[in-house]
């Protein structure tokens, strides 16, 4: 399964930037893209491991519950 790199803009607008077969490549590119964002940018760069682009976007769109306080 590939790794997808996305830019998440305000209002949860997803923009796919790249795909990689290896995590190391995806992680390195994501770090480089994050470093290029302006300090006050609301955009986020995320790496998502998924079977296809549709699944990656579905996973990125899901609202995750915060973990209870004190749980590690």
């Amino acid at each position: 399964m590939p790794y997808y790199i996305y830019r998440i803009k305000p209002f949860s607008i997803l923009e796919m930037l790249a795909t990689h077969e290896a995590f190391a490549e995806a992680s390195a590119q994501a770090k480089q893209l994050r470093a290029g964002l302006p300090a006050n940018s609301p955009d986020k760069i995320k790496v998502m491991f998924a079977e296809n682009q549709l699944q990656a976007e579905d996973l990125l769109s899901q609202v995750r519950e915060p973990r209870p306080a004190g749980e590690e």
Side-chain angles (χ1 to χ4, degrees), residues 27-45:
S27 178
Q29 184 178 7
K31 288 176 184 176
Q32 184 180 34
L33 290 167
R34 287 182 194 117
L37 287 175
N40 59 352
S41 175
D43 295 359
K44 296 179 182 177
I45 304 294

Side-chain angles (χ1 to χ4, degrees), residues 1-70:
M1 288 194 306
Y3 293 88
Y4 295 89
I5 300 176
Y6 279 88
R7 177 188 306 257
I8 305 173
K9 297 181 178 187
F11 305 108
S12 299
I13 297 172
L14 303 174
E15 176 186 353
M16 189 179 77
L17 302 175
T19 61
H20 292 280
E21 290 300 318
F23 176 75
E25 296 169 358
S27 178
Q29 184 178 7
K31 288 176 184 176
Q32 184 180 34
L33 290 167
R34 287 182 194 117
L37 287 175
N40 59 352
S41 175
D43 295 359
K44 296 179 182 177
I45 304 294
K46 298 276 185 171
V47 176
M48 184 56 59
F49 182 64
E51 288 185 23
N52 55 49
Q53 184 178 351
L54 182 61
Q55 183 186 29
E57 291 177 5
D58 181 50
L59 291 168
L60 286 168
S61 298
Q62 293 177 9
V63 176
R64 293 174 37 177
E65 296 285 328
R67 291 178 18 176

